[in-house]
Amino acid sequence: KNGPSGIFAQNENDTPAGFYTTFDDVSSKSDDVPAIVLSPANGATDVSQQATLKWIEAKYATGRQLWFGHKGNMQLVAPAPEGATYVTGMLMADQTYQWRVDLIGPAGTVTGDTWEFTAGNAVVIDDFESYADTTQIAAAWPHNIPGYDYVLLETSTINQGAKAMKFGLQNQYDPFFTETTRTFTTAQNWTLGNVTHLSLAFRGLRDNVEQRMYVRIEDAAGKKATVMHPANDYAVQTEPWRSWDIPLTEFADVDLTAIGKLTIGAGDGTDSGQPDKDEDTIYIDNIRLSVAP
């Protein structure tokens, strides 16, 4: 609103033949731009039952008000989020929710647009979409073999979205198993929303050496439970994407209301038989809590 604005075009004339751009009704805004939505997208469906709302704020904003609730019944969230992100409580499956971010600045409050999404029947544990690069995913999912890069961000071989985890295996070397572990900042309650299964998508490669996949969870008190993939040693050789749906009842003696760690691994502590320097690969995506598949 104050000071000059500039527009650059490649060619302002119709002739001679070439590139040109036409502008109409040009205006400039600085201190009344509303927040811009990032996630979930307006109209999104099958959103996690515990969603993370994210948005971009204009530079003028010194604060914000978040409105959120069932469609037609948004309520002011108090206290307001400290930044441009908000984690909802457990949402109801197949219900539509609306939300709006009002930005507070020197000129007052700027009312934002109203966005909506519909919750699905799953709670996302990690879909890998939030990681910008391999450094970030490797920090969130450290593995047990120091000095090697076995956890990588994958953007080509994916099950859903735009990203997945690529997991390397060299179990011909001690300790003859490789695993990667996500440690939750806050213990997770895996009993909310009537979920019944821990589910993940995975695929391997046909020339991988046979070895067993497993999932282990650990609660805040240190109790652990491990579930082996039922396909014996062949799961790592499946090339189509598969969904592994594990009933939560299989994780016996673990407090499902306070899950602190989730581990995905392969190998059994004995030499896998891989040739020297050979590295096998599996891909992991869309880890979630779901109702009975």
Side-chain angles (χ1 to χ4, degrees), residues 18-67:
F19 296 102
Y20 64 91
T21 304
T22 299
F23 294 92
D24 187 16
D25 193 20
V26 178
S27 62
S28 175
K29 292 185 177 182
S30 60
D31 63 358
D32 61 351
V33 180
I36 301 173
V37 66
L38 275 186
S39 175
N42 189 32
T45 58
D46 201 28
V47 173
S48 171
Q49 283 184 264
Q50 190 168 44
T52 299
L53 311 182
K54 299 178 182 179
W55 60 92
I56 294 177
E57 298 183 349
K59 290 184 178 180
Y60 71 81
T62 58
R64 66 207 56 81
Q65 292 178 335
L66 174 64
W67 297 81

Side-chain angles (χ1 to χ4, degrees), residues 32-275:
D32 61 351
V33 180
I36 301 173
V37 66
L38 275 186
S39 175
N42 189 32
T45 58
D46 201 28
V47 173
S48 171
Q49 283 184 264
Q50 190 168 44
T52 299
L53 311 182
K54 299 178 182 179
W55 60 92
I56 294 177
E57 298 183 349
K59 290 184 178 180
Y60 71 81
T62 58
R64 66 207 56 81
Q65 292 178 335
L66 174 64
W67 297 81
F68 176 74
H70 281 91
K71 185 173 183 178
N73 189 30
M74 292 190 300
Q75 304 291 323
L76 181 64
V77 174
E82 295 183 358
T85 184
Y86 175 74
V87 179
T88 70
M90 191 62 62
L91 305 177
M92 298 178 63
D94 302 319
Q95 295 292 305
T96 298
Y97 293 84
Q98 290 182 319
W99 60 298
R100 187 185 83 218
V101 179
D102 298 340
L103 297 183
I104 301 171
T109 300
V110 177
T111 301
D113 299 318
T114 297
W115 306 303
E116 66 179 51
F117 65 86
T118 302
N121 61 2
V123 178
V124 174
I125 300 299
D126 203 335
D127 59 8
F128 306 105
E129 300 300 311
S130 65
Y131 304 115
D133 51 34
T134 286
T135 299
Q136 287 189 4
I137 192 174
W141 287 87
H143 60 77
N144 64 317
I145 312 294
Y148 293 88
D149 296 325
Y150 287 146
V151 173
L152 306 171
L153 187 65
E154 176 64 25
T155 58
S156 297
T157 304
I158 54 178
N159 174 252
Q160 56 82 45
K163 301 173 185 177
M165 178 169 68
K166 183 179 181 180
F167 187 27
L169 308 172
Q170 288 189 306
N171 292 337
Q172 67 272 47
Y173 308 125
D174 184 70
F176 308 115
F177 66 90
T178 311
E179 56 187 33
T180 179
T181 300
R182 168 79 184 271
T183 300
F184 302 111
T185 304
T186 303
Q188 305 287 298
N189 187 342
W190 286 9
T191 65
L192 300 176
N194 299 318
V195 295
T196 59
H197 288 67
L198 172 64
S199 301
L200 60 89
F202 76 94
R203 62 160 292 176
L205 296 174
R206 187 177 300 275
D207 58 358
N208 283 347
V209 172
E210 297 173 7
Q211 46 192 314
R212 200 77 176 270
M213 282 182 61
Y214 58 87
V215 168
R216 182 173 65 247
I217 62 175
E218 179 178 342
D219 65 23
K223 293 181 180 179
K224 304 176 183 179
T226 301
V227 174
M228 309 299 291
H229 193 279
N232 295 317
D233 298 337
Y234 308 115
V236 296
Q237 296 175 328
T238 179
E239 292 195 331
W241 281 97
R242 307 286 186 185
S243 183
W244 184 7
D245 304 303
I246 308 171
L248 292 174
T249 53
E250 292 194 20
F251 296 105
D253 301 323
V254 174
D255 183 1
L256 294 175
T257 68
I259 300 301
K261 296 182 179 181
L262 169 63
T263 296
I264 301 171
D268 60 6
T270 62
D271 189 338
S272 64
Q274 294 172 245

